[in-house]
Amino acid sequence: YDNFILSLLSGFHECLSSPVDQLKSYILTQRGADAFLPEITPSAAPQPFLPLLAPSPLSPFTNSTSPKLSGLCMLNFTASQSLMTMTSTDCWAAFAPLLANVICCPQLHATLVILVGQLSKETGVLALNRTLAKPCLSDIEQVLEGQGASDDLKQVCLIHPSNLTEASCPVKDVDEFENTVNSSELLASCEKIDPVKECCDQVCQGAISDAATRIALKSSDPLSMDGTHVLPEYSTRVNDCKTVVLRWLASKLNPYRAKEVLRGLTNCNVNKVCPLVFPNMRHVANSCGNGISNQTACCDAMDSYVSHLQKQTLITNLQALDCATALGLKLQTYNITKNVYSLCHISLKDFSLQVSGCLLPSLPSDATFDKFSGISFICDLNDNIPAPWPNPSLLPASSCNKTVRIPALPAATNAQSSKK
């Protein structure tokens, strides 16, 4: 497999206005020989290529500002400096909307958990009170923005001051928490996880759910369950308590190990869902439905439709599989029975942001910073992987089904090791 790193050229992102324009400023670097290759089109076999380089000289990525802090927040940003730097890099201003689903927002949410968890070692409390949550969130934003992160992270990642409080969870004191849950079993299950096996075996996730359920039941107004249906309020309470459980875990681990665990847990959910929004597909239905009388018209319609998907976001290889299945099932409801993916040469890369055809690794990864080349992140750009046309009579294949083999899937572990 060929592993590539996609880099944003330093100083070039400030003049960009759209995600596609932003990607035109990236330089795609192969380990080994570099080569210019043709632009990708949905109807042709996509190939990795290098977009045009920015004009030189390049201004260095050294712009940083001193954050204006509130003076009210007790979070220790100095002790978590490397964590904050990594988060600001993952959420760099030009990248944040493009990497939000896979890299930026998972890293930001992990950072919030770790900051509060580490503070609990001094305060004995696994949450901030509502008075301090707002200035602390503002301080976090200021620190990240001062290092180059987007100034719109609250909207990009949907974070609120309540993300730093206990919300509806009835337990926030460390002593009460440890007296309620089996803390030694929880730590043993989660202090180190395999990001592949965990998604299938759910050892840590099961321990977290058990602990969250136990502390959720400590409420003075326990919510009943209506028969076999869990009330929404109860489900919300358990989810809020899961955040408290994660903070406790973060307090028992060093920030780097905590980050690895939290990102691994988040990634189990990230890869299960297609993040793309599918626009109206009646034009495709009119051209491809009822047996496809005109292949050229059908593929033109498919190319046009997929081009809208290619303007949305960068996704992982496993998300691309989910998206291909979701779109295929939708097309089939419009009486499109033939495999238009094969007919029109639609590949998995065609579902990702399309100047580079980059599919991100399915395992957690981070962007990296270099003062000469700028911000880089890893892409899996292997040989073309045809988008699989779904069979509605069969259940979707689970990546945890050991009998399921998907040929030529990008090797995330290889891509990650190539970064080091």
Side-chain angles (χ1 to χ4, degrees), residues 381-413:
L381 295 178
N382 300 312
D383 294 337
N384 298 317
I385 305 168
W389 185 250
N391 185 339
S393 64
L394 299 176
L395 292 175
S398 169
S399 60
C400 293
N401 186 342
K402 302 303 186 295
T403 64
V404 174
R405 290 182 179 273
I406 304 172
L409 250 186
T413 50

Short mmCIF file of all heavy atoms in Angstrom, two decimals, residues 381-413:
data_model
loop_
_atom_site.label_atom_id
_atom_site.label_comp_id
_atom_site.label_asym_id
_atom_site.label_seq_id
_atom_site.Cartn_x
_atom_site.Cartn_y
_atom_site.Cartn_z
N LEU A 381 -4.02 6.41 0.47
CA LEU A 381 -4.26 6.51 -0.97
C LEU A 381 -3.72 5.25 -1.62
O LEU A 381 -2.60 5.22 -2.11
CB LEU A 381 -3.60 7.75 -1.55
CG LEU A 381 -4.14 9.09 -1.06
CD1 LEU A 381 -3.35 10.22 -1.69
CD2 LEU A 381 -5.60 9.23 -1.40
N ASN A 382 -4.52 4.21 -1.58
CA ASN A 382 -4.11 2.95 -2.14
C ASN A 382 -4.70 2.80 -3.54
O ASN A 382 -5.25 3.74 -4.09
CB ASN A 382 -4.58 1.80 -1.24
CG ASN A 382 -3.98 1.92 0.15
OD1 ASN A 382 -2.79 2.12 0.29
ND2 ASN A 382 -4.81 1.83 1.16
N ASP A 383 -4.56 1.62 -4.10
CA ASP A 383 -5.17 1.37 -5.39
C ASP A 383 -6.67 1.57 -5.29
O ASP A 383 -7.25 1.51 -4.21
CB ASP A 383 -4.87 -0.06 -5.85
CG ASP A 383 -3.39 -0.26 -6.13
OD1 ASP A 383 -2.69 0.76 -6.39
OD2 ASP A 383 -2.94 -1.40 -6.08
N ASN A 384 -7.31 1.76 -6.40
CA ASN A 384 -8.75 2.05 -6.41
C ASN A 384 -9.53 0.94 -5.74
O ASN A 384 -9.31 -0.24 -6.00
CB ASN A 384 -9.24 2.22 -7.84
CG ASN A 384 -8.56 3.38 -8.53
OD1 ASN A 384 -8.39 4.43 -7.93
ND2 ASN A 384 -8.15 3.17 -9.76
N ILE A 385 -10.43 1.33 -4.86
CA ILE A 385 -11.30 0.37 -4.19
C ILE A 385 -12.71 0.62 -4.68
O ILE A 385 -13.33 1.63 -4.34
CB ILE A 385 -11.23 0.53 -2.66
CG1 ILE A 385 -9.78 0.44 -2.20
CG2 ILE A 385 -12.10 -0.50 -1.97
CD1 ILE A 385 -9.56 0.86 -0.78
N PRO A 386 -13.26 -0.25 -5.51
CA PRO A 386 -14.61 -0.02 -6.04
C PRO A 386 -15.63 0.08 -4.91
O PRO A 386 -15.58 -0.68 -3.94
CB PRO A 386 -14.86 -1.26 -6.91
CG PRO A 386 -13.50 -1.80 -7.22
CD PRO A 386 -12.66 -1.48 -6.02
N ALA A 387 -16.53 1.03 -5.03
CA ALA A 387 -17.60 1.15 -4.04
C ALA A 387 -18.51 -0.07 -4.16
O ALA A 387 -18.98 -0.39 -5.25
CB ALA A 387 -18.39 2.43 -4.27
N PRO A 388 -18.77 -0.79 -3.06
CA PRO A 388 -19.62 -1.99 -3.13
C PRO A 388 -21.10 -1.64 -3.26
O PRO A 388 -21.62 -0.82 -2.50
CB PRO A 388 -19.32 -2.70 -1.81
CG PRO A 388 -18.91 -1.61 -0.87
CD PRO A 388 -18.23 -0.56 -1.71
N TRP A 389 -21.76 -2.25 -4.22
CA TRP A 389 -23.20 -2.04 -4.42
C TRP A 389 -23.94 -2.91 -3.42
O TRP A 389 -23.74 -4.13 -3.38
CB TRP A 389 -23.59 -2.40 -5.84
CG TRP A 389 -25.01 -2.12 -6.21
CD1 TRP A 389 -26.00 -3.04 -6.46
CD2 TRP A 389 -25.62 -0.84 -6.39
NE1 TRP A 389 -27.17 -2.41 -6.78
CE2 TRP A 389 -26.97 -1.05 -6.75
CE3 TRP A 389 -25.15 0.47 -6.27
CZ2 TRP A 389 -27.86 -0.02 -6.99
CZ3 TRP A 389 -26.03 1.51 -6.52
CH2 TRP A 389 -27.37 1.27 -6.87
N PRO A 390 -24.79 -2.33 -2.56
CA PRO A 390 -25.40 -3.13 -1.49
C PRO A 390 -26.47 -4.10 -2.00
O PRO A 390 -27.17 -3.81 -2.96
CB PRO A 390 -26.03 -2.06 -0.58
CG PRO A 390 -26.29 -0.90 -1.49
CD PRO A 390 -25.18 -0.92 -2.50
N ASN A 391 -26.55 -5.24 -1.34
CA ASN A 391 -27.61 -6.21 -1.61
C ASN A 391 -28.65 -6.06 -0.52
O ASN A 391 -28.40 -6.42 0.63
CB ASN A 391 -27.03 -7.62 -1.62
CG ASN A 391 -28.06 -8.67 -2.02
OD1 ASN A 391 -29.27 -8.43 -1.94
ND2 ASN A 391 -27.57 -9.83 -2.44
N PRO A 392 -29.84 -5.53 -0.83
CA PRO A 392 -30.83 -5.27 0.21
C PRO A 392 -31.34 -6.51 0.92
O PRO A 392 -31.91 -6.43 2.01
CB PRO A 392 -31.97 -4.58 -0.55
CG PRO A 392 -31.79 -5.00 -1.97
CD PRO A 392 -30.32 -5.17 -2.17
N SER A 393 -31.10 -7.68 0.32
CA SER A 393 -31.57 -8.92 0.96
C SER A 393 -30.61 -9.42 2.01
O SER A 393 -30.92 -10.36 2.75
CB SER A 393 -31.78 -10.00 -0.10
OG SER A 393 -30.54 -10.35 -0.71
N LEU A 394 -29.42 -8.79 2.08
CA LEU A 394 -28.42 -9.19 3.06
C LEU A 394 -28.21 -8.08 4.06
O LEU A 394 -28.24 -6.90 3.72
CB LEU A 394 -27.09 -9.52 2.38
CG LEU A 394 -27.11 -10.67 1.36
CD1 LEU A 394 -25.74 -10.80 0.71
CD2 LEU A 394 -27.51 -11.98 2.01
N LEU A 395 -27.97 -8.46 5.31
CA LEU A 395 -27.66 -7.46 6.32
C LEU A 395 -26.29 -6.86 6.02
O LEU A 395 -25.41 -7.55 5.50
CB LEU A 395 -27.65 -8.10 7.72
CG LEU A 395 -29.01 -8.57 8.25
CD1 LEU A 395 -28.81 -9.29 9.58
CD2 LEU A 395 -29.97 -7.40 8.40
N PRO A 396 -26.08 -5.56 6.35
CA PRO A 396 -24.76 -4.96 6.13
C PRO A 396 -23.67 -5.74 6.85
O PRO A 396 -23.85 -6.17 7.99
CB PRO A 396 -24.92 -3.54 6.70
CG PRO A 396 -26.39 -3.28 6.69
CD PRO A 396 -27.05 -4.61 6.92
N ALA A 397 -22.57 -5.94 6.17
CA ALA A 397 -21.45 -6.68 6.77
C ALA A 397 -20.82 -5.87 7.89
O ALA A 397 -20.55 -4.69 7.72
CB ALA A 397 -20.41 -7.00 5.71
N SER A 398 -20.62 -6.50 9.02
CA SER A 398 -19.99 -5.83 10.15
C SER A 398 -18.49 -6.01 10.09
O SER A 398 -17.99 -7.08 9.76
CB SER A 398 -20.52 -6.39 11.47
OG SER A 398 -19.76 -5.93 12.55
N SER A 399 -17.75 -4.94 10.38
CA SER A 399 -16.30 -5.05 10.40
C SER A 399 -15.83 -5.94 11.55
O SER A 399 -14.67 -6.34 11.60
CB SER A 399 -15.67 -3.66 10.55
OG SER A 399 -16.10 -3.04 11.74
N CYS A 400 -16.74 -6.25 12.49
CA CYS A 400 -16.40 -7.14 13.60
C CYS A 400 -16.64 -8.60 13.24
O CYS A 400 -16.27 -9.49 14.00
CB CYS A 400 -17.21 -6.79 14.85
SG CYS A 400 -16.78 -5.19 15.55
N ASN A 401 -17.29 -8.87 12.11
CA ASN A 401 -17.53 -10.23 11.66
C ASN A 401 -16.23 -10.77 11.09
O ASN A 401 -15.79 -10.36 10.03
CB ASN A 401 -18.65 -10.26 10.61
CG ASN A 401 -19.02 -11.68 10.22
OD1 ASN A 401 -18.26 -12.61 10.46
ND2 ASN A 401 -20.18 -11.83 9.60
N LYS A 402 -15.61 -11.68 11.81
CA LYS A 402 -14.27 -12.14 11.42
C LYS A 402 -14.28 -12.87 10.08
O LYS A 402 -13.24 -13.09 9.49
CB LYS A 402 -13.71 -13.06 12.51
CG LYS A 402 -13.62 -12.42 13.89
CD LYS A 402 -12.78 -11.16 13.87
CE LYS A 402 -12.57 -10.60 15.27
NZ LYS A 402 -13.78 -10.15 15.93
N THR A 403 -15.46 -13.31 9.61
CA THR A 403 -15.53 -14.01 8.34
C THR A 403 -15.61 -13.04 7.17
O THR A 403 -15.49 -13.45 6.01
CB THR A 403 -16.74 -14.95 8.30
OG1 THR A 403 -17.94 -14.17 8.38
CG2 THR A 403 -16.70 -15.95 9.43
N VAL A 404 -15.85 -11.77 7.44
CA VAL A 404 -15.98 -10.78 6.38
C VAL A 404 -14.60 -10.28 5.97
O VAL A 404 -13.81 -9.85 6.81
CB VAL A 404 -16.86 -9.60 6.84
CG1 VAL A 404 -16.87 -8.51 5.78
CG2 VAL A 404 -18.27 -10.08 7.13
N ARG A 405 -14.32 -10.33 4.68
CA ARG A 405 -13.03 -9.85 4.18
C ARG A 405 -13.30 -8.84 3.07
O ARG A 405 -13.96 -9.16 2.09
CB ARG A 405 -12.17 -10.99 3.65
CG ARG A 405 -11.65 -11.90 4.75
CD ARG A 405 -10.75 -12.99 4.16
NE ARG A 405 -10.23 -13.84 5.21
CZ ARG A 405 -9.12 -13.60 5.89
NH1 ARG A 405 -8.42 -12.51 5.62
NH2 ARG A 405 -8.70 -14.42 6.82
N ILE A 406 -12.80 -7.63 3.24
CA ILE A 406 -12.97 -6.60 2.22
C ILE A 406 -11.62 -6.39 1.57
O ILE A 406 -10.70 -5.86 2.19
CB ILE A 406 -13.48 -5.28 2.83
CG1 ILE A 406 -14.79 -5.55 3.58
CG2 ILE A 406 -13.69 -4.22 1.76
CD1 ILE A 406 -15.28 -4.37 4.37
N PRO A 407 -11.45 -6.84 0.32
CA PRO A 407 -10.13 -6.76 -0.30
C PRO A 407 -9.65 -5.33 -0.50
O PRO A 407 -10.44 -4.43 -0.77
CB PRO A 407 -10.35 -7.45 -1.66
CG PRO A 407 -11.81 -7.32 -1.91
CD PRO A 407 -12.47 -7.37 -0.56
N ALA A 408 -8.37 -5.15 -0.34
CA ALA A 408 -7.70 -3.87 -0.64
C ALA A 408 -8.18 -2.70 0.20
O ALA A 408 -8.07 -1.56 -0.20
CB ALA A 408 -7.87 -3.52 -2.13
N LEU A 409 -8.71 -2.99 1.40
CA LEU A 409 -9.06 -1.87 2.28
C LEU A 409 -7.78 -1.16 2.69
O LEU A 409 -6.78 -1.81 2.98
CB LEU A 409 -9.78 -2.38 3.53
CG LEU A 409 -11.25 -2.06 3.64
CD1 LEU A 409 -11.79 -2.51 4.98
CD2 LEU A 409 -11.52 -0.57 3.46
N PRO A 410 -7.79 0.16 2.74
CA PRO A 410 -6.60 0.88 3.20
C PRO A 410 -6.15 0.40 4.57
O PRO A 410 -6.97 0.18 5.45
CB PRO A 410 -7.08 2.34 3.25
CG PRO A 410 -8.19 2.38 2.27
CD PRO A 410 -8.87 1.05 2.36
N ALA A 411 -4.88 0.18 4.73
CA ALA A 411 -4.34 -0.34 5.98
C ALA A 411 -4.02 0.81 6.91
O ALA A 411 -2.99 1.45 6.80
CB ALA A 411 -3.09 -1.17 5.71
N ALA A 412 -4.93 1.08 7.85
CA ALA A 412 -4.77 2.23 8.74
C ALA A 412 -3.52 2.10 9.59
O ALA A 412 -2.83 3.07 9.85
CB ALA A 412 -6.00 2.38 9.62
N THR A 413 -3.23 0.87 10.05
CA THR A 413 -2.07 0.72 10.92
C THR A 413 -0.79 1.04 10.17
O THR A 413 0.13 1.64 10.71
CB THR A 413 -2.00 -0.72 11.46
OG1 THR A 413 -2.12 -1.63 10.35
CG2 THR A 413 -3.12 -0.98 12.43
#
